[in-house]
Each structure stands twice: as C-alpha cells, then as structure tokens.
Amino acid sequence: MNDMITMDQIVREGDPVLRKKAEDIELPASKEEIETLKEMLQFIKNSQDDEIAKKYNLRPGVGLAAPQIGLSKRMLAVHFTDFNDREYSMGLINPRIVSHSVEKTYLQSGEGCLSVDRDVPGIVPRYARITIKGTNLEGEEVKLRLKGYAAIVLQHEIDHLDGIMFYDHINKDNPFQPPENSTPAE
Ligand SMILES: CNC(=O)c1cccc(C)c1Nc1nc(N2CCN(c3ccccc3Cl)CC2)nc(N2CSC[C@H]2C(=O)NC)n1
Ligand code: NI
C-alpha cells in the first residue's frame, strides 16, 4: 500500500539496525521491495518541498538508505542536483562501489544525517571519484561514474548499508584537518 514515510519512520542513532551490514536483495526485487523503495524516493522529494516538509515536519535530505527506516536491506534512494547542475533521482538496489580514486574530497561544511539528531562538526573524507554498479527501479543494471557532491552523497548512503555512520570517518585528533591528497567538493 502506498502510505507516505514521515520522520516517525526514520530510525535514529543508537538503534542497532544502523550498525548492521544489510543483506543483498534477491533479484528480481519483490513488488513490496520496489514499492518501499519508491516510498523512500518520494520521502526525499517531499523533504525538499518547502510546503510538504513544513506540513509533515520533514527534515530535508538528499539520500535515504533502507536501514534508516528499519529495513536491513541493500537499497537506497537519492534525489539531488550536484554543483554542476546535474540531476540525480533514483532508487538503487544492491549498489556497490566497483572502483574509486585514490584522491579524496569532502564537504567543507561537514555532513548531516537524518538518523543523527545532533550536529557532528568535522571533515568527512570521501573518495573524490567512484564507479557504482547496481539495479534501478526498472530492474536494469546501472553503472554510474560519480564525482564531487554526487560521489559524497552515494558514499554516505552506501555506508549506511554497511553500518557505517558519517562521523566514523572524522579525524578524532583534528576534525577539521583536510585529508591527504584531497580537494573540497563545494
Ligand atoms: C553539519 N553540516 C551540514 O550538514 C551542512 C551544512 C551546510 C551545507 C552542507 C552541504 C552541509 N552538509 C550536508 N547538507 C546536506 N543537505 C543540504 C541541504 N539540503 C536541502 C535543504 C533544504 C531544502 C532542500 C535541500 Cl536539498 C538537504 C541536504 N546533506 C548532507 N548530507 C551528507 S551526504 C547525505 C546528505 C543528507 O541528505 N543529509 C541529511 N550534508
Ligand atoms: Ni545518513
């Protein structure tokens, strides 16, 4: 059934599901899995719509991974425009990073997460360029070559499938130290 996702369904840090490694989805994905992934994508779109977000008290985000709604399954949804005005709006099933640059990048403003109700300041080092393979909502195998903001968002969401939170990557001794061999994304 197509009921909308609101913040009540978003699992917050401390819940063990956020620290589990999610299971691959058996292909072809079930109608229920596809429906859930479509609801996740709709949530992200809603969270960016001022009126809807205000009406339902949604926190804005550009990505959501299934463990964040308590489902330990390898699927995620993203909806955003990167710094070069390229649009990304998709659900991904069993996404995996198949190659990445040595070079790193990061958001100078740090990262936020819908499952983390606090500010965790600091630079989050990410690979500057990644190649991802996965299956989309139409059941097609996709291969994505991403850089900059898009690479950061997808790494943040794929981390959720492996039980990794963005602050796990922040340098404990000097949170604002740019990583070796890196350039800021924004
Ligand atoms: C602590 N400082 C900060 O958070 C931070 C602070 C400043 C700048 C950035 C860039 C920061 N960082 C950051 N800002 C975002 N948004 C910017 C605003 N935007 C949004 C807001 C309103 C309408 C539409 C939209 Cl689109 C929603 C997305 N999102 C993420 N992340 C990390 S990768 C996954 C992604 C995510 O969806 N998080 C919930 N990080
Ligand atoms: Ni997150």
Side-chain angles (χ1 to χ4, degrees), residues 44 47-50 59-64 79-80 83 107 109-115 118-121 126 149 152-154 156-157 166 186:
I44 290 294
S47 80
Q48 296 174 22
D49 179 302
D50 291 355
R59 235 189 89 188
V62 290
L64 187 72
H79 182 78
F80 63 91
F83 301 135
L107 290 173
S109 322
E111 294 188 12
C113 179
L114 296 173
S115 296
R118 60 193 170 104
D119 236 8
V120 185
R126 300 282 185 192
Y149 188 60
I152 291 168
V153 172
L154 270 296
H156 176 114
E157 302 310 333
F166 72 89
E186 51 203 312

PDB file of all heavy atoms in Angstrom, residues 44 47-50 59-64 79-80 83 107 109-115 118-121 126 149 152-154 156-157 166 186, ligand 1:
ATOM      1  N   ILE A  44      12.277  11.584   0.143  1.00  0.00           N
ATOM      2  CA  ILE A  44      13.378  12.533  -0.103  1.00  0.00           C
ATOM      3  C   ILE A  44      12.858  13.720  -0.913  1.00  0.00           C
ATOM      4  O   ILE A  44      13.149  14.880  -0.592  1.00  0.00           O
ATOM      5  CB  ILE A  44      14.547  11.820  -0.842  1.00  0.00           C
ATOM      6  CG1 ILE A  44      15.237  10.826   0.102  1.00  0.00           C
ATOM      7  CG2 ILE A  44      15.547  12.820  -1.385  1.00  0.00           C
ATOM      8  CD1 ILE A  44      15.966  11.487   1.286  1.00  0.00           C
ATOM      9  N   SER A  47      10.822  15.861   1.350  1.00  0.00           N
ATOM     10  CA  SER A  47      11.637  16.572   2.353  1.00  0.00           C
ATOM     11  C   SER A  47      12.239  17.855   1.773  1.00  0.00           C
ATOM     12  O   SER A  47      12.652  18.742   2.519  1.00  0.00           O
ATOM     13  CB  SER A  47      12.761  15.660   2.867  1.00  0.00           C
ATOM     14  OG  SER A  47      13.855  15.616   1.958  1.00  0.00           O
ATOM     15  N   GLN A  48      12.286  17.941   0.434  1.00  0.00           N
ATOM     16  CA  GLN A  48      12.882  19.118  -0.209  1.00  0.00           C
ATOM     17  C   GLN A  48      11.817  20.107  -0.684  1.00  0.00           C
ATOM     18  O   GLN A  48      12.143  21.182  -1.192  1.00  0.00           O
ATOM     19  CB  GLN A  48      13.749  18.681  -1.394  1.00  0.00           C
ATOM     20  CG  GLN A  48      14.944  17.844  -0.968  1.00  0.00           C
ATOM     21  CD  GLN A  48      15.715  17.292  -2.148  1.00  0.00           C
ATOM     22  OE1 GLN A  48      15.645  17.814  -3.267  1.00  0.00           O
ATOM     23  NE2 GLN A  48      16.461  16.221  -1.904  1.00  0.00           N
ATOM     24  N   ASP A  49      10.543  19.727  -0.486  1.00  0.00           N
ATOM     25  CA  ASP A  49       9.442  20.602  -0.903  1.00  0.00           C
ATOM     26  C   ASP A  49       9.012  21.412   0.315  1.00  0.00           C
ATOM     27  O   ASP A  49       8.467  20.850   1.275  1.00  0.00           O
ATOM     28  CB  ASP A  49       8.281  19.723  -1.419  1.00  0.00           C
ATOM     29  CG  ASP A  49       7.076  20.558  -1.849  1.00  0.00           C
ATOM     30  OD1 ASP A  49       6.561  21.323  -1.004  1.00  0.00           O
ATOM     31  OD2 ASP A  49       6.678  20.449  -3.008  1.00  0.00           O
ATOM     32  N   ASP A  50       9.260  22.705   0.287  1.00  0.00           N
ATOM     33  CA  ASP A  50       9.018  23.551   1.469  1.00  0.00           C
ATOM     34  C   ASP A  50       7.652  23.325   2.093  1.00  0.00           C
ATOM     35  O   ASP A  50       7.539  23.149   3.308  1.00  0.00           O
ATOM     36  CB  ASP A  50       9.177  25.038   1.102  1.00  0.00           C
ATOM     37  CG  ASP A  50      10.630  25.385   0.798  1.00  0.00           C
ATOM     38  OD1 ASP A  50      11.490  24.490   0.976  1.00  0.00           O
ATOM     39  OD2 ASP A  50      10.898  26.513   0.363  1.00  0.00           O
ATOM     40  N   ARG A  59      12.643  16.646   7.852  1.00  0.00           N
ATOM     41  CA  ARG A  59      13.989  17.247   7.773  1.00  0.00           C
ATOM     42  C   ARG A  59      14.480  17.034   6.346  1.00  0.00           C
ATOM     43  O   ARG A  59      14.326  15.936   5.793  1.00  0.00           O
ATOM     44  CB  ARG A  59      14.936  16.522   8.745  1.00  0.00           C
ATOM     45  CG  ARG A  59      15.642  17.441   9.729  1.00  0.00           C
ATOM     46  CD  ARG A  59      16.729  16.706  10.505  1.00  0.00           C
ATOM     47  NE  ARG A  59      18.016  16.761   9.816  1.00  0.00           N
ATOM     48  CZ  ARG A  59      19.083  16.047  10.246  1.00  0.00           C
ATOM     49  NH1 ARG A  59      18.975  15.228  11.276  1.00  0.00           N
ATOM     50  NH2 ARG A  59      20.223  16.140   9.599  1.00  0.00           N
ATOM     51  N   PRO A  60      15.053  18.064   5.737  1.00  0.00           N
ATOM     52  CA  PRO A  60      15.481  17.907   4.341  1.00  0.00           C
ATOM     53  C   PRO A  60      16.711  16.987   4.217  1.00  0.00           C
ATOM     54  O   PRO A  60      17.644  17.046   5.013  1.00  0.00           O
ATOM     55  CB  PRO A  60      15.841  19.315   3.894  1.00  0.00           C
ATOM     56  CG  PRO A  60      16.152  20.049   5.137  1.00  0.00           C
ATOM     57  CD  PRO A  60      15.334  19.421   6.224  1.00  0.00           C
ATOM     58  N   GLY A  61      16.672  16.158   3.208  1.00  0.00           N
ATOM     59  CA  GLY A  61      17.814  15.291   2.910  1.00  0.00           C
ATOM     60  C   GLY A  61      17.901  15.062   1.418  1.00  0.00           C
ATOM     61  O   GLY A  61      16.973  15.368   0.685  1.00  0.00           O
ATOM     62  N   VAL A  62      19.028  14.514   0.965  1.00  0.00           N
ATOM     63  CA  VAL A  62      19.169  14.189  -0.465  1.00  0.00           C
ATOM     64  C   VAL A  62      19.317  12.684  -0.681  1.00  0.00           C
ATOM     65  O   VAL A  62      19.331  12.218  -1.815  1.00  0.00           O
ATOM     66  CB  VAL A  62      20.367  14.935  -1.112  1.00  0.00           C
ATOM     67  CG1 VAL A  62      20.091  16.427  -1.232  1.00  0.00           C
ATOM     68  CG2 VAL A  62      21.657  14.660  -0.352  1.00  0.00           C
ATOM     69  N   GLY A  63      19.428  11.942   0.458  1.00  0.00           N
ATOM     70  CA  GLY A  63      19.543  10.486   0.312  1.00  0.00           C
ATOM     71  C   GLY A  63      18.952   9.780   1.506  1.00  0.00           C
ATOM     72  O   GLY A  63      18.849  10.351   2.601  1.00  0.00           O
ATOM     73  N   LEU A  64      18.507   8.538   1.294  1.00  0.00           N
ATOM     74  CA  LEU A  64      17.947   7.709   2.374  1.00  0.00           C
ATOM     75  C   LEU A  64      18.255   6.250   2.073  1.00  0.00           C
ATOM     76  O   LEU A  64      18.065   5.791   0.942  1.00  0.00           O
ATOM     77  CB  LEU A  64      16.427   7.912   2.475  1.00  0.00           C
ATOM     78  CG  LEU A  64      15.734   7.240   3.668  1.00  0.00           C
ATOM     79  CD1 LEU A  64      16.089   7.977   4.965  1.00  0.00           C
ATOM     80  CD2 LEU A  64      14.219   7.225   3.479  1.00  0.00           C
ATOM     81  N   HIS A  79      17.918  11.953  -4.344  1.00  0.00           N
ATOM     82  CA  HIS A  79      17.271  12.949  -5.207  1.00  0.00           C
ATOM     83  C   HIS A  79      17.979  14.269  -4.947  1.00  0.00           C
ATOM     84  O   HIS A  79      17.856  14.851  -3.856  1.00  0.00           O
ATOM     85  CB  HIS A  79      15.776  13.071  -4.861  1.00  0.00           C
ATOM     86  CG  HIS A  79      15.038  14.052  -5.737  1.00  0.00           C
ATOM     87  ND1 HIS A  79      14.650  13.743  -7.020  1.00  0.00           N
ATOM     88  CD2 HIS A  79      14.660  15.334  -5.513  1.00  0.00           C
ATOM     89  CE1 HIS A  79      14.047  14.796  -7.544  1.00  0.00           C
ATOM     90  NE2 HIS A  79      14.040  15.765  -6.662  1.00  0.00           N
ATOM     91  N   PHE A  80      18.774  14.739  -5.907  1.00  0.00           N
ATOM     92  CA  PHE A  80      19.514  15.998  -5.718  1.00  0.00           C
ATOM     93  C   PHE A  80      20.070  16.485  -7.047  1.00  0.00           C
ATOM     94  O   PHE A  80      20.128  15.745  -8.024  1.00  0.00           O
ATOM     95  CB  PHE A  80      20.676  15.827  -4.717  1.00  0.00           C
ATOM     96  CG  PHE A  80      21.728  14.850  -5.179  1.00  0.00           C
ATOM     97  CD1 PHE A  80      22.840  15.267  -5.909  1.00  0.00           C
ATOM     98  CD2 PHE A  80      21.608  13.495  -4.888  1.00  0.00           C
ATOM     99  CE1 PHE A  80      23.794  14.363  -6.338  1.00  0.00           C
ATOM    100  CE2 PHE A  80      22.572  12.576  -5.320  1.00  0.00           C
ATOM    101  CZ  PHE A  80      23.661  13.009  -6.044  1.00  0.00           C
ATOM    102  N   PHE A  83      26.755  20.161  -7.963  1.00  0.00           N
ATOM    103  CA  PHE A  83      27.259  21.531  -8.111  1.00  0.00           C
ATOM    104  C   PHE A  83      27.425  21.912  -9.577  1.00  0.00           C
ATOM    105  O   PHE A  83      27.649  23.067  -9.897  1.00  0.00           O
ATOM    106  CB  PHE A  83      28.580  21.702  -7.343  1.00  0.00           C
ATOM    107  CG  PHE A  83      28.461  21.423  -5.855  1.00  0.00           C
ATOM    108  CD1 PHE A  83      29.405  20.662  -5.185  1.00  0.00           C
ATOM    109  CD2 PHE A  83      27.375  21.894  -5.133  1.00  0.00           C
ATOM    110  CE1 PHE A  83      29.293  20.398  -3.816  1.00  0.00           C
ATOM    111  CE2 PHE A  83      27.247  21.631  -3.768  1.00  0.00           C
ATOM    112  CZ  PHE A  83      28.211  20.882  -3.122  1.00  0.00           C
ATOM    113  N   LEU A 107      32.961  17.740   2.052  1.00  0.00           N
ATOM    114  CA  LEU A 107      32.139  18.950   2.156  1.00  0.00           C
ATOM    115  C   LEU A 107      32.755  19.811   3.260  1.00  0.00           C
ATOM    116  O   LEU A 107      32.887  19.355   4.405  1.00  0.00           O
ATOM    117  CB  LEU A 107      30.694  18.586   2.534  1.00  0.00           C
ATOM    118  CG  LEU A 107      29.869  17.875   1.460  1.00  0.00           C
ATOM    119  CD1 LEU A 107      28.531  17.437   2.026  1.00  0.00           C
ATOM    120  CD2 LEU A 107      29.682  18.757   0.241  1.00  0.00           C
ATOM    121  N   SER A 109      31.485  22.073   4.826  1.00  0.00           N
ATOM    122  CA  SER A 109      30.505  22.301   5.913  1.00  0.00           C
ATOM    123  C   SER A 109      30.235  21.036   6.723  1.00  0.00           C
ATOM    124  O   SER A 109      29.393  21.040   7.620  1.00  0.00           O
ATOM    125  CB  SER A 109      29.183  22.774   5.313  1.00  0.00           C
ATOM    126  OG  SER A 109      29.420  23.634   4.238  1.00  0.00           O
ATOM    127  N   GLY A 110      30.900  19.966   6.373  1.00  0.00           N
ATOM    128  CA  GLY A 110      30.651  18.722   7.094  1.00  0.00           C
ATOM    129  C   GLY A 110      29.403  18.033   6.569  1.00  0.00           C
ATOM    130  O   GLY A 110      28.804  18.482   5.578  1.00  0.00           O
ATOM    131  N   GLU A 111      28.982  16.958   7.198  1.00  0.00           N
ATOM    132  CA  GLU A 111      27.819  16.212   6.735  1.00  0.00           C
ATOM    133  C   GLU A 111      26.750  16.136   7.819  1.00  0.00           C
ATOM    134  O   GLU A 111      27.035  16.220   9.012  1.00  0.00           O
ATOM    135  CB  GLU A 111      28.219  14.776   6.313  1.00  0.00           C
ATOM    136  CG  GLU A 111      29.124  14.751   5.084  1.00  0.00           C
ATOM    137  CD  GLU A 111      29.373  13.350   4.539  1.00  0.00           C
ATOM    138  OE1 GLU A 111      28.665  12.400   4.955  1.00  0.00           O
ATOM    139  OE2 GLU A 111      30.296  13.203   3.701  1.00  0.00           O
ATOM    140  N   GLY A 112      25.509  15.995   7.348  1.00  0.00           N
ATOM    141  CA  GLY A 112      24.391  15.782   8.257  1.00  0.00           C
ATOM    142  C   GLY A 112      23.758  14.450   7.896  1.00  0.00           C
ATOM    143  O   GLY A 112      24.041  13.903   6.828  1.00  0.00           O
ATOM    144  N   CYS A 113      22.919  13.923   8.781  1.00  0.00           N
ATOM    145  CA  CYS A 113      22.264  12.637   8.539  1.00  0.00           C
ATOM    146  C   CYS A 113      20.885  12.636   9.198  1.00  0.00           C
ATOM    147  O   CYS A 113      20.737  13.098  10.332  1.00  0.00           O
ATOM    148  CB  CYS A 113      23.125  11.509   9.131  1.00  0.00           C
ATOM    149  SG  CYS A 113      22.411   9.869   8.921  1.00  0.00           S
ATOM    150  N   LEU A 114      19.888  12.138   8.472  1.00  0.00           N
ATOM    151  CA  LEU A 114      18.517  12.135   9.001  1.00  0.00           C
ATOM    152  C   LEU A 114      18.381  11.248  10.242  1.00  0.00           C
ATOM    153  O   LEU A 114      17.443  11.412  11.021  1.00  0.00           O
ATOM    154  CB  LEU A 114      17.545  11.673   7.910  1.00  0.00           C
ATOM    155  CG  LEU A 114      17.453  12.586   6.682  1.00  0.00           C
ATOM    156  CD1 LEU A 114      16.594  11.960   5.600  1.00  0.00           C
ATOM    157  CD2 LEU A 114      16.938  13.964   7.066  1.00  0.00           C
ATOM    158  N   SER A 115      19.333  10.360  10.447  1.00  0.00           N
ATOM    159  CA  SER A 115      19.285   9.487  11.628  1.00  0.00           C
ATOM    160  C   SER A 115      20.092  10.042  12.789  1.00  0.00           C
ATOM    161  O   SER A 115      20.203   9.396  13.837  1.00  0.00           O
ATOM    162  CB  SER A 115      19.805   8.088  11.269  1.00  0.00           C
ATOM    163  OG  SER A 115      18.956   7.477  10.314  1.00  0.00           O
ATOM    164  N   ARG A 118      21.787  15.573  15.904  1.00  0.00           N
ATOM    165  CA  ARG A 118      22.754  16.492  16.524  1.00  0.00           C
ATOM    166  C   ARG A 118      23.759  16.882  15.451  1.00  0.00           C
ATOM    167  O   ARG A 118      23.915  16.181  14.449  1.00  0.00           O
ATOM    168  CB  ARG A 118      23.467  15.812  17.716  1.00  0.00           C
ATOM    169  CG  ARG A 118      24.248  14.567  17.331  1.00  0.00           C
ATOM    170  CD  ARG A 118      24.691  13.707  18.537  1.00  0.00           C
ATOM    171  NE  ARG A 118      25.215  12.434  18.069  1.00  0.00           N
ATOM    172  CZ  ARG A 118      26.523  12.136  18.036  1.00  0.00           C
ATOM    173  NH1 ARG A 118      27.419  13.015  18.443  1.00  0.00           N
ATOM    174  NH2 ARG A 118      26.940  10.962  17.581  1.00  0.00           N
ATOM    175  N   ASP A 119      24.451  18.022  15.729  1.00  0.00           N
ATOM    176  CA  ASP A 119      25.487  18.456  14.806  1.00  0.00           C
ATOM    177  C   ASP A 119      26.766  17.717  15.174  1.00  0.00           C
ATOM    178  O   ASP A 119      27.137  17.718  16.363  1.00  0.00           O
ATOM    179  CB  ASP A 119      25.704  19.972  14.977  1.00  0.00           C
ATOM    180  CG  ASP A 119      25.522  20.690  13.662  1.00  0.00           C
ATOM    181  OD1 ASP A 119      25.093  20.031  12.683  1.00  0.00           O
ATOM    182  OD2 ASP A 119      25.813  21.894  13.579  1.00  0.00           O
ATOM    183  N   VAL A 120      27.403  17.077  14.199  1.00  0.00           N
ATOM    184  CA  VAL A 120      28.719  16.476  14.480  1.00  0.00           C
ATOM    185  C   VAL A 120      29.715  17.172  13.548  1.00  0.00           C
ATOM    186  O   VAL A 120      29.836  16.807  12.374  1.00  0.00           O
ATOM    187  CB  VAL A 120      28.720  14.953  14.248  1.00  0.00           C
ATOM    188  CG1 VAL A 120      30.069  14.358  14.676  1.00  0.00           C
ATOM    189  CG2 VAL A 120      27.593  14.284  15.028  1.00  0.00           C
ATOM    190  N   PRO A 121      30.359  18.229  14.060  1.00  0.00           N
ATOM    191  CA  PRO A 121      31.248  19.013  13.191  1.00  0.00           C
ATOM    192  C   PRO A 121      32.470  18.197  12.762  1.00  0.00           C
ATOM    193  O   PRO A 121      32.912  17.307  13.481  1.00  0.00           O
ATOM    194  CB  PRO A 121      31.681  20.182  14.080  1.00  0.00           C
ATOM    195  CG  PRO A 121      30.906  20.076  15.346  1.00  0.00           C
ATOM    196  CD  PRO A 121      30.385  18.687  15.449  1.00  0.00           C
ATOM    197  N   ARG A 126      35.999  11.505   1.786  1.00  0.00           N
ATOM    198  CA  ARG A 126      35.316  10.591   0.876  1.00  0.00           C
ATOM    199  C   ARG A 126      36.196  10.409  -0.359  1.00  0.00           C
ATOM    200  O   ARG A 126      37.019  11.291  -0.648  1.00  0.00           O
ATOM    201  CB  ARG A 126      33.967  11.185   0.436  1.00  0.00           C
ATOM    202  CG  ARG A 126      32.981  11.470   1.569  1.00  0.00           C
ATOM    203  CD  ARG A 126      32.300  10.251   2.037  1.00  0.00           C
ATOM    204  NE  ARG A 126      31.247  10.507   3.057  1.00  0.00           N
ATOM    205  CZ  ARG A 126      30.688   9.544   3.760  1.00  0.00           C
ATOM    206  NH1 ARG A 126      31.105   8.292   3.593  1.00  0.00           N
ATOM    207  NH2 ARG A 126      29.748   9.792   4.650  1.00  0.00           N
ATOM    208  N   TYR A 149      29.983  16.212  -5.264  1.00  0.00           N
ATOM    209  CA  TYR A 149      28.833  16.088  -4.343  1.00  0.00           C
ATOM    210  C   TYR A 149      28.122  14.736  -4.535  1.00  0.00           C
ATOM    211  O   TYR A 149      27.788  14.067  -3.556  1.00  0.00           O
ATOM    212  CB  TYR A 149      27.862  17.246  -4.585  1.00  0.00           C
ATOM    213  CG  TYR A 149      26.738  17.362  -3.587  1.00  0.00           C
ATOM    214  CD1 TYR A 149      26.984  17.563  -2.236  1.00  0.00           C
ATOM    215  CD2 TYR A 149      25.418  17.295  -3.998  1.00  0.00           C
ATOM    216  CE1 TYR A 149      25.940  17.694  -1.311  1.00  0.00           C
ATOM    217  CE2 TYR A 149      24.369  17.415  -3.092  1.00  0.00           C
ATOM    218  CZ  TYR A 149      24.640  17.615  -1.749  1.00  0.00           C
ATOM    219  OH  TYR A 149      23.605  17.728  -0.855  1.00  0.00           O
ATOM    220  N   ILE A 152      29.974  12.021  -2.901  1.00  0.00           N
ATOM    221  CA  ILE A 152      29.843  12.118  -1.434  1.00  0.00           C
ATOM    222  C   ILE A 152      28.509  11.545  -0.968  1.00  0.00           C
ATOM    223  O   ILE A 152      28.445  10.702  -0.066  1.00  0.00           O
ATOM    224  CB  ILE A 152      29.994  13.592  -0.975  1.00  0.00           C
ATOM    225  CG1 ILE A 152      31.436  14.052  -1.187  1.00  0.00           C
ATOM    226  CG2 ILE A 152      29.558  13.757   0.481  1.00  0.00           C
ATOM    227  CD1 ILE A 152      31.636  15.548  -1.037  1.00  0.00           C
ATOM    228  N   VAL A 153      27.419  11.977  -1.621  1.00  0.00           N
ATOM    229  CA  VAL A 153      26.082  11.526  -1.215  1.00  0.00           C
ATOM    230  C   VAL A 153      25.962  10.002  -1.318  1.00  0.00           C
ATOM    231  O   VAL A 153      25.517   9.341  -0.381  1.00  0.00           O
ATOM    232  CB  VAL A 153      24.991  12.219  -2.058  1.00  0.00           C
ATOM    233  CG1 VAL A 153      23.606  11.616  -1.785  1.00  0.00           C
ATOM    234  CG2 VAL A 153      24.983  13.723  -1.784  1.00  0.00           C
ATOM    235  N   LEU A 154      26.421   9.452  -2.465  1.00  0.00           N
ATOM    236  CA  LEU A 154      26.291   7.990  -2.645  1.00  0.00           C
ATOM    237  C   LEU A 154      27.166   7.229  -1.640  1.00  0.00           C
ATOM    238  O   LEU A 154      26.744   6.194  -1.106  1.00  0.00           O
ATOM    239  CB  LEU A 154      26.598   7.598  -4.091  1.00  0.00           C
ATOM    240  CG  LEU A 154      25.397   7.582  -5.039  1.00  0.00           C
ATOM    241  CD1 LEU A 154      24.379   6.524  -4.634  1.00  0.00           C
ATOM    242  CD2 LEU A 154      24.737   8.927  -5.210  1.00  0.00           C
ATOM    243  N   HIS A 156      27.921   8.261   1.368  1.00  0.00           N
ATOM    244  CA  HIS A 156      27.241   8.399   2.669  1.00  0.00           C
ATOM    245  C   HIS A 156      26.122   7.361   2.776  1.00  0.00           C
ATOM    246  O   HIS A 156      25.972   6.690   3.803  1.00  0.00           O
ATOM    247  CB  HIS A 156      26.670   9.827   2.809  1.00  0.00           C
ATOM    248  CG  HIS A 156      25.880  10.065   4.060  1.00  0.00           C
ATOM    249  ND1 HIS A 156      26.272  10.929   5.044  1.00  0.00           N
ATOM    250  CD2 HIS A 156      24.690   9.555   4.479  1.00  0.00           C
ATOM    251  CE1 HIS A 156      25.368  10.925   6.026  1.00  0.00           C
ATOM    252  NE2 HIS A 156      24.401  10.102   5.700  1.00  0.00           N
ATOM    253  N   GLU A 157      25.345   7.201   1.689  1.00  0.00           N
ATOM    254  CA  GLU A 157      24.194   6.272   1.740  1.00  0.00           C
ATOM    255  C   GLU A 157      24.635   4.810   1.681  1.00  0.00           C
ATOM    256  O   GLU A 157      24.077   3.971   2.386  1.00  0.00           O
ATOM    257  CB  GLU A 157      23.207   6.582   0.612  1.00  0.00           C
ATOM    258  CG  GLU A 157      22.647   8.016   0.607  1.00  0.00           C
ATOM    259  CD  GLU A 157      22.104   8.469   1.963  1.00  0.00           C
ATOM    260  OE1 GLU A 157      21.676   7.616   2.785  1.00  0.00           O
ATOM    261  OE2 GLU A 157      22.157   9.679   2.236  1.00  0.00           O
ATOM    262  N   PHE A 166      28.499   8.666   9.187  1.00  0.00           N
ATOM    263  CA  PHE A 166      29.456   9.631   8.593  1.00  0.00           C
ATOM    264  C   PHE A 166      30.538  10.038   9.595  1.00  0.00           C
ATOM    265  O   PHE A 166      31.713  10.180   9.247  1.00  0.00           O
ATOM    266  CB  PHE A 166      28.723  10.870   8.052  1.00  0.00           C
ATOM    267  CG  PHE A 166      28.169  11.811   9.106  1.00  0.00           C
ATOM    268  CD1 PHE A 166      28.948  12.838   9.608  1.00  0.00           C
ATOM    269  CD2 PHE A 166      26.877  11.660   9.588  1.00  0.00           C
ATOM    270  CE1 PHE A 166      28.435  13.692  10.588  1.00  0.00           C
ATOM    271  CE2 PHE A 166      26.366  12.516  10.553  1.00  0.00           C
ATOM    272  CZ  PHE A 166      27.156  13.529  11.068  1.00  0.00           C
ATOM    273  N   GLU A 186      32.686  21.480  -2.438  1.00  0.00           N
ATOM    274  CA  GLU A 186      31.730  22.544  -2.731  1.00  0.00           C
ATOM    275  C   GLU A 186      32.473  23.823  -3.177  1.00  0.00           C
ATOM    276  O   GLU A 186      33.636  23.966  -2.846  1.00  0.00           O
ATOM    277  CB  GLU A 186      30.833  22.834  -1.537  1.00  0.00           C
ATOM    278  CG  GLU A 186      31.545  23.068  -0.279  1.00  0.00           C
ATOM    279  CD  GLU A 186      30.682  22.797   0.972  1.00  0.00           C
ATOM    280  OE1 GLU A 186      29.543  23.273   1.034  1.00  0.00           O
ATOM    281  OE2 GLU A 186      31.191  22.125   1.838  1.00  0.00           O
TER     282      GLU A 186
HETATM  283  C1  LIG B   1      26.728  19.601   9.529  1.00  0.00           C
HETATM  284  N1  LIG B   1      26.705  20.412   8.351  1.00  0.00           N
HETATM  285  C2  LIG B   1      25.817  20.155   7.370  1.00  0.00           C
HETATM  286  O1  LIG B   1      25.048  19.213   7.377  1.00  0.00           O
HETATM  287  C3  LIG B   1      25.869  21.055   6.203  1.00  0.00           C
HETATM  288  C4  LIG B   1      25.779  22.439   6.403  1.00  0.00           C
HETATM  289  C5  LIG B   1      25.808  23.297   5.278  1.00  0.00           C
HETATM  290  C6  LIG B   1      25.951  22.784   3.982  1.00  0.00           C
HETATM  291  C7  LIG B   1      26.060  21.415   3.790  1.00  0.00           C
HETATM  292  C8  LIG B   1      26.238  20.888   2.389  1.00  0.00           C
HETATM  293  C9  LIG B   1      26.039  20.536   4.904  1.00  0.00           C
HETATM  294  N2  LIG B   1      26.115  19.157   4.760  1.00  0.00           N
HETATM  295  C10 LIG B   1      25.060  18.419   4.247  1.00  0.00           C
HETATM  296  N3  LIG B   1      23.976  19.086   3.790  1.00  0.00           N
HETATM  297  C11 LIG B   1      23.003  18.307   3.235  1.00  0.00           C
HETATM  298  N4  LIG B   1      21.885  18.912   2.718  1.00  0.00           N
HETATM  299  C12 LIG B   1      21.955  20.309   2.383  1.00  0.00           C
HETATM  300  C13 LIG B   1      20.608  20.976   2.465  1.00  0.00           C
HETATM  301  N5  LIG B   1      19.613  20.198   1.704  1.00  0.00           N
HETATM  302  C14 LIG B   1      18.375  20.861   1.482  1.00  0.00           C
HETATM  303  C15 LIG B   1      17.849  21.738   2.440  1.00  0.00           C
HETATM  304  C16 LIG B   1      16.618  22.364   2.205  1.00  0.00           C
HETATM  305  C17 LIG B   1      15.903  22.137   1.029  1.00  0.00           C
HETATM  306  C18 LIG B   1      16.438  21.270   0.061  1.00  0.00           C
HETATM  307  C19 LIG B   1      17.669  20.648   0.300  1.00  0.00           C
HETATM  308 CL1  LIG B   1      18.329  19.599  -0.910  1.00  0.00          CL
HETATM  309  C20 LIG B   1      19.497  18.811   2.119  1.00  0.00           C
HETATM  310  C21 LIG B   1      20.830  18.119   2.070  1.00  0.00           C
HETATM  311  N6  LIG B   1      23.052  16.961   3.198  1.00  0.00           N
HETATM  312  C22 LIG B   1      24.174  16.399   3.681  1.00  0.00           C
HETATM  313  N7  LIG B   1      24.283  15.077   3.576  1.00  0.00           N
HETATM  314  C23 LIG B   1      25.570  14.379   3.801  1.00  0.00           C
HETATM  315  S1  LIG B   1      25.636  13.236   2.452  1.00  0.00           S
HETATM  316  C24 LIG B   1      23.881  12.907   2.609  1.00  0.00           C
HETATM  317  C25 LIG B   1      23.305  14.309   2.826  1.00  0.00           C
HETATM  318  C26 LIG B   1      21.941  14.264   3.514  1.00  0.00           C
HETATM  319  O2  LIG B   1      20.952  14.024   2.862  1.00  0.00           O
HETATM  320  N8  LIG B   1      21.919  14.515   4.846  1.00  0.00           N
HETATM  321  C27 LIG B   1      20.651  14.533   5.517  1.00  0.00           C
HETATM  322  N9  LIG B   1      25.193  17.092   4.235  1.00  0.00           N
END
